[in-house]
Every structure is written in structure tokens, then in C-alpha cells.
Amino acid sequence: MRMHEQDMVATALEYTGRGESARVYNPQNELLFEVKAEEDIPFGNKIALTRISKGERVIKYGAPIGVAVRDIQKGRMVHVHNVRSAAVDIPENIRIEIIRQMNIREED
């Protein structure tokens, strides 16, 4: 689901496996386009709809939600391993534990 036309990410409303097509809908439930998942995207997580450069603001709901801490390729998961939140300063030990528990592999 992409909530706003300017959004760089969409939220997965179902698990999408690596190599699968993620169908992206707007809030009116209209199919907008599809994006190939370049890694597993668990339910409730964000997928990049476009390439996001390191240092670039990440837009969701039409507003910045954070800043990319590394380049993020289209179709990759957008989470604490590659974005610094604009709302919460997540302590490093918590960020590491989230990455461990979700079995997120850092991008090369």
C-alpha cells in the first residue's frame, strides 16, 4: 500500500518473497504498479519503490520519515538497518537486536 503519490516506499500487506512481484495499491485499492522484491519483505514492512540514495530523506505519507544511512535499491526492504528514523533515535543495541531478530542481512 502506497499512502501518498510522493511516497518512496510502500507497506507490505502480505509477505512478499524475494523475486516475487509486489503489487502496489493506493488507499482507494486501485492497483498502481508492481515492484520486484529484491529480498524477502515481511508483512507490515516497507519496500523501496525507487532507488533511495544515502543521505536522502525517505518519504512516506507524503512526509519525511527518516534519512537513508546507505543507498537502498528499488525492491529492497526499508527498515532500521538502512534508515535513521526522523521520529525516534533508536539506541544502537536495540537496532542491532531488531536486525538480528528479523534476520535482516545487510546489503553489500
Side-chain angles (χ1 to χ4, degrees):
M1 176 72 61
R2 183 179 78 173
M3 299 304 294
H4 189 276
E5 63 188 24
Q6 294 177 338
D7 289 356
M8 304 164 102
V9 299
T11 302
L13 299 182
E14 60 185 32
Y15 170 87
T16 306
R18 180 181 186 173
E20 294 180 355
S21 255
R23 293 176 309 278
V24 180
Y25 293 86
N26 65 16
Q28 292 74 38
N29 205 32
E30 299 166 330
L31 179 63
L32 300 172
F33 51 87
E34 295 185 8
V35 174
K36 179 182 174 188
E38 297 297 331
E39 64 184 313
D40 295 341
I41 310 293
F43 167 81
N45 285 274
K46 295 176 290 299
I47 185 171
L49 302 178
T50 185
R51 183 182 186 284
I52 303 169
S53 298
K54 179 180 180 179
E56 189 173 2
R57 290 183 187 175
V58 178
I59 307 298
K60 184 176 181 184
Y61 308 112
I65 60 165
V67 175
V69 296
R70 62 173 47 97
D71 290 341
I72 305 169
Q73 300 303 316
K74 179 179 179 177
R76 303 290 298 203
M77 184 165 60
V78 176
H79 205 350
V80 297
H81 67 297
N82 53 19
V83 173
R84 186 181 75 241
S85 173
V88 178
D89 187 16
I90 300 172
E92 184 65 11
N93 62 325
I94 302 289
R95 190 186 74 78
I96 290 169
E97 185 61 16
I98 292 168
I99 291 168
R100 186 191 70 76
Q101 286 188 22
M102 289 189 65
N103 198 29
I104 296 172
R105 292 189 306 211
E106 302 279 342
E107 297 173 37
D108 296 327

